[in-house]
């Protein structure tokens, strides 16, 4: 095993333990963040095409399945229903598999499939895992500014999709995300918004889209001025669906991209013209069961809607 691979496995193991510890302590927001960033790293390795990879195709499949389980546990923590979907005790069974991935040759304990990696990772979600050796080598150590890793530059152009073809009698929706009001707007690093459309159970009805990084920050506003094309005709959205907007930013001390707050728009709010919607505390509650306003201050997400009908 090369030094790079050994370091990689140590970091994955440390991340797994941090997430499980947060989970067991009831720090759900931190656990979800840790699980999701580790899942992205494992998915990335699982789909890596590098010829010099020390992982076999079978081992990559196992990494992909562990990533799926991390996503399942993360989803269970975000659910307001019973958390029977994937328990912490189940997840803990995967730690020795991850630790011994190069020699593991048994059947995977859960019937899951690797989930496909989104084509473009969100800004700041990749760490330079190969060259972070300070902690192992007795260097600056975690927590001091000198030990923060150099970030792999994030993709800044977003993952926006073009408008769908028009259909007679059907309506398409364009939402311009103008700006979001935040008391610490100027301190947000690499801010962007993830837009998704969910049914009442939190299931995606359209592909998820990320905006490019914000165009500018001033006072208490982060400006985007970007158009989102809804990837389904309005008439085809299921009853009770909602459009979610998750504001995300990079946290250098924690070294991952985190959701700061979210907002959503329900179907009866789809109408031409400007609209302002309230901001809620994370984690994102896609089922809209336990909503907590981010602040008592009058801070909102400012949108403008345009309807296109044949």
């Amino acid at each position: 095993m090369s030094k790079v691979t050994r370091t990689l496995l140590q970091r994955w193991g440390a991340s797994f333990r941090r997430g499980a510890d947060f989970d067991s302590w009831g720090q759900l927001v931190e656990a979800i963040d840790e699980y999701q960033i580790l899942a992205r790293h494992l998915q990335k390795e699982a789909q890596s095409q590098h010829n010099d990879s020390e992982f076999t195709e079978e081992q990559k499949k196992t990494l992909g399945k562990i990533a799926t389980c991390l996503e399942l546990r993360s989803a269970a923590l975000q659910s307001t229903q019973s958390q029977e979907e994937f328990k912490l005790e189940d997840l803990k069974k995967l730690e020795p598999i991850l630790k011994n991935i190069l020699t593991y040759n048994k059947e995977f304990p859960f019937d899951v499939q690797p989930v496909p990696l989104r084509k473009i990772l969100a800004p700041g979600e990749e760490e330079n895992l190969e060259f972070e050796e300070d902690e192992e080598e007795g260097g600056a150590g975690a927590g001091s500014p000198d030990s923060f890793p150099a970030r792999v530059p994030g993709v800044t152009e977003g993952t926006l999709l073009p408008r769908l073809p028009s259909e007679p009698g059907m309506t398409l929706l364009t939402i311009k995300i103008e700006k979001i009001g935040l008391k610490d707007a100027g301190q947000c690093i690499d801010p962007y918004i993830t837009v998704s459309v969910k049914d009442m159970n939190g299931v995606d009805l359209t592909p998820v889209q990320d905006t490019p990084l914000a165009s500018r920050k001033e006072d208490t506003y982060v400006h985007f001025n970007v158009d989102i094309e809804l990837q389904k005709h309005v008439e085809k959205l299921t009853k009770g669906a909602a459009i979610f907007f998750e504001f995300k930013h990079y946290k250098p001390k924690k070294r991952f991209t985190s959701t700061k707050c979210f907002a959503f728009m329900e179907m009866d709010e789809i109408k031409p013209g400007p609209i302002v919607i309230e901001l809620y505390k994370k984690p994102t509650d896609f089922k809209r069961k336990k909503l907590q306003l981010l602040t008592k201050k009058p801070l909102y997400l400012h949108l403008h809607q345009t309807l296109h009908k044949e």
Side-chain angles (χ1 to χ4, degrees):
M1 188 195 315
S2 72
K3 185 176 181 180
V4 168
T5 301
R6 186 168 64 251
T7 301
L8 197 60
L9 292 177
Q10 287 171 342
R11 293 206 170 278
W12 287 347
S15 177
F16 189 103
R17 285 189 296 278
R18 278 196 302 273
D21 285 346
F22 284 136
D23 198 342
S24 63
W25 298 332
Q27 293 179 249
L28 305 191
V29 172
E30 291 84 355
I32 289 165
D33 278 339
E34 197 70 52
Y35 288 153
Q36 289 183 342
I37 194 66
L38 177 57
R40 288 285 178 91
H41 283 308
L42 297 184
Q43 288 170 12
K44 183 168 174 259
E45 188 61 47
Q47 296 201 354
S48 167
Q49 302 299 317
H50 294 312
N51 295 328
D52 57 354
S53 173
E54 290 194 44
F55 300 107
T56 66
E57 289 306 309
E58 202 56 42
Q59 288 162 356
K60 287 180 181 179
K61 280 185 188 174
T62 301
L63 289 174
K65 289 180 179 182
I66 294 173
T68 300
C69 293
L70 289 164
E71 294 280 9
L72 288 173
R73 180 59 189 158
S74 179
L77 293 178
Q78 293 181 71
S79 170
T80 52
Q81 307 301 315
S82 65
Q83 294 176 7
E84 297 300 312
E85 300 161 20
F86 202 85
K87 296 181 179 179
L88 177 57
E89 301 83 68
D90 293 330
L91 192 72
K92 285 183 174 179
K93 295 174 185 174
L94 304 179
E95 186 176 0
I97 298 174
L98 182 60
K99 182 179 178 182
N100 302 301
I101 188 70
L102 294 175
T103 55
Y104 182 78
N105 56 10
K106 297 176 185 173
E107 190 171 339
F108 198 74
F110 305 106
D111 184 19
V112 297
Q113 294 301 317
V115 292
L117 181 66
R118 282 171 58 193
K119 288 184 181 177
I120 302 177
L121 289 178
E125 287 192 326
E126 292 187 40
E127 296 171 22
N128 189 337
L129 290 170
E130 294 183 9
F131 302 106
E132 285 183 58
E133 297 173 355
D134 280 342
E135 290 169 32
E136 283 74 28
E137 301 300 318
S144 78
D146 292 335
S147 70
F148 296 155
R151 260 193 298 158
V152 175
V155 176
T156 60
E157 56 268 20
T159 58
L160 299 185
L161 297 167
R163 189 180 305 168
L164 294 176
S166 58
E167 288 184 21
M170 291 287 156
T171 308
L172 289 169
L173 171 63
T174 302
I175 302 173
K176 179 182 282 293
I177 300 177
E178 294 180 340
K179 60 185 180 180
I180 184 171
L182 296 166
K183 60 183 180 181
D184 56 350
Q187 297 172 27
C188 296
I189 299 172
D190 287 356
Y192 68 102
I193 291 177
T194 295
V195 182
S196 57
V197 184
K198 311 277 187 182
D199 68 10
M200 294 179 74
N201 295 313
V203 176
D204 281 314
L205 298 176
T206 68
V208 176
Q209 302 183 65
D210 289 333
T211 70
L213 299 185
S215 57
R216 62 190 172 94
K217 296 175 281 186
E218 63 171 14
D219 301 327
T220 55
Y221 287 104
V222 178
H223 293 262
F224 287 92
N225 291 314
V226 64
D227 287 341
I228 307 292
E229 303 293 348
L230 199 72
Q231 296 296 299
K232 192 179 273 277
H233 293 87
V234 174
E235 291 82 0
K236 296 179 182 178
L237 292 172
T238 56
K239 185 179 179 182
I243 304 168
F244 282 83
F245 305 85
E246 297 175 90
F247 180 85
K248 299 180 178 180
H249 63 133
Y250 183 71
K251 302 178 86 167
K253 288 189 178 179
K254 293 188 176 179
R255 298 181 291 191
F256 55 66
T257 294
S258 170
T259 299
K260 183 176 180 68
C261 59
F262 72 98
F264 63 88
M265 219 177 73
E266 297 184 310
M267 294 301 98
D268 60 0
E269 295 176 287
I270 295 179
K271 55 192 71 169
I275 181 175
V276 293
I277 54 179
E278 294 177 312
L279 305 177
Y280 295 97
K281 290 181 179 178
K282 64 178 183 179
T284 309
D285 180 7
F286 291 121
K287 295 182 181 179
R288 293 162 271 160
K289 300 288 187 185
K290 295 179 180 177
L291 299 169
Q292 277 188 290
L293 285 173
L294 178 67
T295 173
K296 293 178 182 176
K297 293 179 182 288
L299 299 175
Y300 304 98
L301 178 63
H302 296 249
L303 309 170
H304 191 283
Q305 302 182 74
T306 305
L307 297 175
H308 314 272
K309 189 163 186 174
E310 278 266 309

